[in-house]
Amino acid sequence: MKKIIALAGSNSKESINKQFAYYVSELIEGVDLIQLDLNDFEVPMYGIDEENENGMPKDAQSLTKLIHKADGIVISLAEHNGSYTAVFKNIFDWISRIEAKVFETTPVLLLSTSPGGRAGSSVMQAAMDRFPRHGATIPANFSLPSFYDNFKDGKLVDENLLSDLKEKITLFEEELKAN
């Protein structure tokens, strides 16, 4: 059975991106699922002096190992000021220092959502550009607009959006099977 990890690029306890990542990951059939929370990975603010003086943080090493053992990744990125959240950028800086190609051609189902209509489009664009440079294969991506209108009682309620999402999940599942 393929192993996938799901996480959000947010440290908010009530993260809509965490809710969305977990929901989507549970729609993927026939996988061993590990849902991660960035709050469980404590790392100092990245800086070259910190790295040189103290080396790589254990939690960054642990996350890197989990990513390497995964057959696929579902990640939903929150957007702050048009880019990654500070917590995600920081941990991404650490793990990409441990292993530049941290994703090692691992299929990534890339998601984003926000309360507004743009659905995290800026962070999605940044990740679509950046993640492949770190070894990710992105067979599909999906942005959910207007989270609070379209996601209720723990599920996606708009039938057209759900249909589109299921098509993206199928592409991700096909990539998982091919690897």
Side-chain angles (χ1 to χ4, degrees):
M1 186 176 306
K2 299 284 185 171
K3 182 177 2 179
I4 65 167
I5 59 175
L7 70 150
S10 172
N11 62 345
S12 170
K13 292 176 186 170
E14 302 298 321
S15 170
I16 61 175
N17 279 280
K18 185 177 1 177
Q19 292 174 55
F20 190 49
Y22 289 3
Y23 165 75
V24 171
S25 68
E26 291 169 0
L27 295 175
I28 300 167
E29 297 181 7
V31 296
D32 182 16
L33 174 60
I34 301 169
Q35 294 176 335
L36 302 177
D37 186 328
L38 287 185
N39 290 306
D40 296 331
F41 299 91
E42 292 186 28
V43 295
M45 183 61 68
Y46 179 78
I48 194 65
D49 292 338
E50 176 69 28
E51 180 182 343
N52 288 338
E53 292 169 18
N54 298 306
M56 298 296 170
K58 288 183 181 176
D59 280 353
Q61 293 176 39
S62 295
L63 181 56
T64 303
K65 287 177 186 173
L66 286 167
I67 290 170
H68 284 176
K69 290 179 182 176
D71 297 303
I73 301 167
V74 174
I75 185 167
S76 187
L77 295 171
E79 182 175 291
H80 287 181
N81 297 320
S83 191
Y84 306 117
T85 63
V87 69
F88 180 77
K89 177 68 167 84
N90 188 52
I91 200 139
F92 188 59
D93 286 345
W94 279 113
I95 65 175
S96 64
R97 289 289 292 170
I98 292 168
E99 177 63 48
K101 299 284 186 186
V102 67
F103 296 119
E104 298 186 277
T105 67
T106 303
V108 175
L109 178 54
L110 190 56
L111 309 169
S112 65
T113 190
S114 72
R118 294 194 69 235
S121 61
S122 294
V123 74
M124 176 64 76
Q125 184 177 13
M128 291 292 292
D129 176 61
R130 188 85 235 155
F131 283 20
R133 297 178 196 202
H134 294 279
T137 300
I138 304 174
N141 66 293
F142 181 87
S143 295
L144 175 64
S146 306
F147 180 83
Y148 296 107
D149 294 333
N150 292 312
F151 195 88
K152 296 180 191 270
D153 300 320
K155 62 183 178 183
L156 191 53
V157 294
D158 180 289
E159 290 299 322
N160 292 327
L161 290 170
L162 181 58
S163 177
D164 188 27
L165 175 61
K166 286 182 177 180
E167 289 176 18
K168 306 295 182 168
I169 290 170
T170 298
L171 293 172
F172 178 71
E173 290 171 331
E174 289 171 358
E175 189 68 26
L176 278 176
K177 289 176 189 170
N179 282 334

